[in-house]
Amino acid sequence: LMSPSASAIDLTNAGDYIFRIYPSDSYDGMYLANFLWNRLQVKTVSIIYLQVASISALTQVFKERFELLGGKISSIENYKEGDTDFRSLLLKAKNTEPDIIFIPGYLREMAILLRQAKELGIKKPFLSISTFFDPKILNLASDAAEGVLFSSPSFDPLSNLPEIKNFVNTFKAKYNEIPNILAGYGYDVVNITFAALKSINNITPDNIKAALYNINNYPGVTGKTAFDSNGDVVKELKMMQVKNISFEMSNL
């Protein structure tokens, strides 16, 4: 089984025949904690997170790593999918005077939260996870998303890398739109599977598994890809930021 988008931490130990090309929530949480502490020198974080299994697990990994580094979680609050009023949570977070507010969640709720933060005049910077990298958030939140930092795999539809240019041009010709990050994962998961199949003569489950484990720095459109001993992807993440209601690489 090869997943293009599964991020749940529990998948790591689900079996030796399961692979994913999407970074696990654990990987994302660790990366963000390290970025805040080492690059931004952030000391205090307030967290408002969506209470679903994958986001809760990511939040716990982030919290534990940030505290281990020496940081302080000034407040932590959660909400349920479908909630529409985040004002009290935002005010609680603001009152703890954090350096940044971490808001891991899904697009709809994050957009409403950001709009309400703007209405309340909250000037603190916001941080999110790789689910934020979707153009829909720019329509849902508009200028309330300005300045939000978030993690992302290395996919840039404007890149001059041959593999990305070819993918983007083919996708635009077929669908008359620029591919988003999930389209990139769908493209990579097929090509990586094909590369593994092409490398073996006798196609059996065990041989396919061995071929996937042997893949090293495959040049996918979502970044160079390899797998660890659990079938989890080893992939470089990067930081992005919303600037002028568009996504840009962060220079922080």
Side-chain angles (χ1 to χ4, degrees):
L1 181 131
M2 170 81 87
S3 173
S5 59
S7 65
I9 292 173
D10 289 347
L11 196 64
T12 295
N13 299 313
D16 200 32
Y17 291 79
I18 297 176
F19 296 78
R20 56 172 153 194
I21 66 167
Y22 194 94
S24 77
D25 294 325
S26 175
Y27 193 74
D28 208 354
M30 292 279 285
Y31 175 81
L32 287 168
N34 290 333
F35 173 79
L36 287 189
W37 182 260
N38 296 322
R39 292 285 299 276
L40 296 191
Q41 298 183 332
V42 164
K43 304 301 182 188
T44 60
V45 177
S46 183
I47 302 174
I48 304 173
Y49 70 96
L50 172 63
Q51 194 178 28
V52 296
S54 61
I55 302 295
S56 296
L58 183 154
T59 300
Q60 186 62 28
V61 169
F62 171 88
K63 179 179 180 295
E64 290 177 359
R65 177 60 179 171
F66 190 68
E67 290 178 332
L68 182 64
L69 290 168
K72 177 185 176 183
I73 303 300
S74 60
S75 69
I76 182 166
E77 303 285 344
N78 63 68
Y79 59 88
K80 292 181 172 60
E81 190 173 1
D83 284 355
T84 58
D85 188 352
F86 307 100
R87 292 174 181 85
S88 63
L89 303 182
L90 285 163
L91 289 173
K92 287 179 183 177
K94 177 187 175 184
N95 289 338
T96 65
E97 291 296 325
D99 295 325
I100 199 166
I101 301 174
F102 183 36
I103 55 165
Y106 294 159
L107 292 183
R108 180 180 176 275
E109 288 83 8
M110 286 191 293
I112 297 171
L113 185 151
L114 289 169
R115 293 201 308 267
Q116 291 176 355
K118 184 179 179 182
E119 291 169 5
L120 292 169
I122 295 174
K123 303 297 184 183
K124 296 292 181 181
F126 285 89
L127 173 76
S128 192
I129 58 177
S130 54
T131 56
F132 200 89
F133 192 23
D134 188 324
K136 294 187 185 75
I137 195 72
L138 302 177
N139 294 325
L140 293 170
S142 188
D143 61 349
E146 190 69 16
V148 174
L149 285 161
F150 59 96
S151 57
S152 168
S154 297
F155 174 66
D156 178 6
L158 301 180
S159 171
N160 286 318
L161 288 173
E163 58 269 22
I164 296 181
K165 286 183 69 175
N166 178 63
F167 166 57
V168 171
N169 290 337
T170 303
F171 191 96
K172 285 171 66 178
K174 177 72 174 179
Y175 300 107
N176 197 32
E177 62 180 85
I178 296 174
N180 61 18
I181 186 66
L182 292 179
Y185 275 120
Y187 183 77
D188 276 353
V189 81
V190 172
N191 282 315
I192 290 169
T193 303
F194 177 68
L197 291 170
K198 190 170 63 171
S199 71
I200 53 181
N201 294 319
N202 183 20
I203 296 179
T204 66
D206 283 333
N207 287 344
I208 295 170
K209 179 183 72 171
L212 287 170
Y213 277 125
N214 285 331
I215 284 177
N216 186 32
N217 289 329
Y218 177 87
V221 299
T222 62
K224 292 181 179 179
T225 298
F227 299 101
D228 68 11
S229 60
N230 296 309
D232 283 345
V233 73
V234 178
K235 186 191 295 282
E236 180 184 1
L237 295 179
K238 63 183 179 181
M239 290 304 298
M240 301 282 289
Q241 190 168 26
V242 179
K243 293 183 179 179
N244 299 316
I245 316 183
S246 64
F247 297 135
E248 294 185 12
M249 283 281 292
S250 171
N251 56 9
L252 296 175

